[in-house]
Amino acid sequence: MRRLIYLLPLLLFVGVGVAFLRGFDRDPRDIPSALIDKPAPEFSLPPLPGYKEGLSNATLKGDVTLVNVFASWCIPCKAEHPIITRLAREQGVTVRGINHKDKAEDAIAWLNRNGDPYASIGVDLDGRVSIDWGVYGVPETFLLDRQGRIRFKHVGPLTPQVVEEQILPMVKHLRSAS
Amino acid sequence: MRALLIAVLLALTPVAASAVQPDEVLKDPALEGRAREISKDLRCLVCQNQSIDDSNAPLARDLRVLVRERLTAGDSNQQVLSFVTDRYGDYVLLRPPFKATTLFLWIGPFVILAIGGVATALYLRGRKGAAVAAGGDTAPLTEDERRRLDALLRKDKA
């Protein structure tokens, strides 16, 4: 009993140390979304000029959908663009875009230059719809099930690792589930 | 000297660091006051240790405008906060709410203080017990000791 009391500070120190060490592994920018397992927020965004379809929550039902928030001024968006293109073309994942606080002509030029993997894009000129989605940095990517519920969120550019380990298994699971 | 003191005090005075722009300010001072109050409690998610009232990030500005719009539309302070936490989660609050997941955050320091207090009390009691066992400080003075103490006290008074 006595000895235990003398060991207590050491145990406390080790406990706090482990907690801090685990904290170092966490990305402080990776904030859990408040919207996981909730239906996508009600919204309706117009298309880019010259494009047919915009984006609204009605569009998001029926298929497992990846919603990608992007902008032409966002450098990491350029980095993840080929990965998203591959997801859409090779894996047959429906990808829809929210064009965040962008100039329409810049966005169109960007898509013409880099290719357009998006089934449709909604223009969020003032960023209000992005706020409804809990977006705090571009790019952010959401995965929705067939009922239009948000099931997964990734902050920052998609990487091959995130796609392999998280998105593709989840897409498969969500497709077979409903 | 006085000029130096004033200079030092001025340097130490916190500048009103609000990032609120003139075009955001509401006409109604009462509403604006409430908006400022709410903004101070909301974390800017881009520069995470600043409130949206302090931060110059575009998202902070958007949220400040949003807060003011909700207030103008007649929301209570609590409704505005819920509106934001519905979208960004509790993380957006600089003062975390008291609930099961944040329990240790709130009571942890007091628990640790209590453990320290109990440990100190136990230690002090143990020391007193040891002193008694050794016939130490609680034993009455001997005749010789009393005489020497009296002599010392007299000398002290003189």
Side-chain angles (χ1 to χ4, degrees):
Chain A
M1 186 59 207
R2 257 256 100 94
R3 203 161 296 167
L4 219 70
I5 287 177
Y6 287 124
L7 275 177
L8 203 64
L10 181 70
L11 291 178
L12 272 176
F13 176 76
V14 170
V16 170
V18 168
F20 279 146
L21 271 180
R22 282 187 47 192
F24 285 134
D25 283 338
R26 254 190 85 247
D27 181 1
R29 289 192 50 90
D30 204 0
I31 302 160
S33 172
L35 296 172
I36 297 293
D37 291 334
K38 296 205 178 117
E42 297 258 331
F43 74 104
S44 177
L45 289 174
L48 285 165
Y51 284 64
K52 275 205 305 289
E53 206 186 339
L55 195 62
S56 71
N57 41 338
T59 339
L60 296 173
K61 282 184 190 144
D63 192 10
V64 175
T65 309
L66 206 66
V67 174
N68 176 240
V69 185
F70 75 101
S72 67
W73 46 261
C74 142
I75 309 289
C77 296
K78 176 104 197 278
E80 70 170 4
H81 195 73
I83 296 168
I84 287 175
T85 307
R86 232 171 298 140
L87 263 175
R89 303 256 159 86
E90 288 165 28
Q91 308 287 343
V93 180
T94 306
V95 183
R96 296 183 189 275
I98 294 179
N99 185 222
H100 176 88
K101 287 190 169 181
D102 213 347
K103 283 201 193 79
E105 64 263 31
D106 290 349
I108 292 170
W110 194 83
L111 290 167
N112 287 340
R113 198 164 55 239
N114 301 306
D116 179 4
Y118 300 103
S120 69
I121 297 171
V123 177
D124 187 19
L125 213 54
D126 57 6
R128 273 312 163 82
V129 168
S130 299
I131 288 181
D132 285 339
W133 282 75
V135 170
Y136 60 90
V138 212
E140 285 189 18
T141 305
F142 300 83
L143 187 61
L144 279 69
D145 65 16
R146 281 186 215 269
Q147 282 76 43
R149 265 187 317 234
I150 296 172
R151 301 302 289 270
F152 173 79
K153 171 182 176 178
H154 178 77
V155 178
L158 289 182
T159 60
Q161 198 190 1
V162 174
V163 168
E164 280 303 317
E165 288 173 9
Q166 292 178 285
I167 294 198
L168 284 178
M170 195 111 182
V171 166
K172 213 169 143 197
H173 168 76
L174 290 177
R175 276 187 171 154
S176 62
S178 45
Chain B
M1 190 60 213
R2 211 162 122 193
L4 183 74
L5 189 71
I6 289 169
V8 168
L9 283 178
L10 273 181
L12 292 177
T13 311
V15 183
S18 172
V20 180
Q21 301 299 305
D23 62 317
E24 296 170 23
V25 176
L26 295 174
K27 283 205 188 76
D28 181 344
L31 274 188
E32 177 63 24
R34 280 170 60 201
R36 294 296 300 272
E37 218 174 283
I38 295 171
S39 304
K40 286 200 170 77
D41 282 341
L42 287 176
R43 183 195 300 279
C44 168
L45 291 130
V46 181
C47 10
Q48 297 179 353
N49 286 327
Q50 282 188 306
S51 72
I52 60 167
D53 194 58
D54 294 333
S55 172
N56 291 310
L59 177 67
R61 181 195 158 89
D62 289 351
L63 286 176
R64 284 197 301 269
V65 172
L66 187 84
V67 164
R68 282 163 175 78
E69 275 178 20
R70 307 289 320 173
L71 286 175
T72 314
D75 273 16
S76 72
N77 289 17
Q78 195 48 52
Q79 278 169 322
V80 176
L81 287 175
S82 317
F83 183 88
V84 182
T85 47
D86 280 351
R87 284 153 182 75
Y88 288 99
D90 288 339
Y91 188 77
V92 79
L93 300 174
L94 281 169
R95 178 194 297 270
F98 189 83
K99 53 195 215 182
T101 46
T102 58
L103 197 64
F104 188 73
L105 195 67
W106 280 102
I107 66 164
F110 300 106
V111 170
I112 290 171
L113 190 69
I115 292 174
V118 169
T120 310
L122 282 178
Y123 173 72
L124 287 177
R125 221 175 61 184
R127 212 166 66 157
K128 204 167 149 200
V132 171
D137 55 4
T138 50
L141 297 175
T142 63
E143 236 356 85
D144 184 41
E145 282 169 339
R146 202 190 306 282
R147 236 177 293 124
R148 269 167 56 205
L149 186 63
D150 279 346
L152 278 173
L153 284 171
R154 255 197 311 270
K155 201 168 105 193
D156 215 32
K157 244 183 231 165

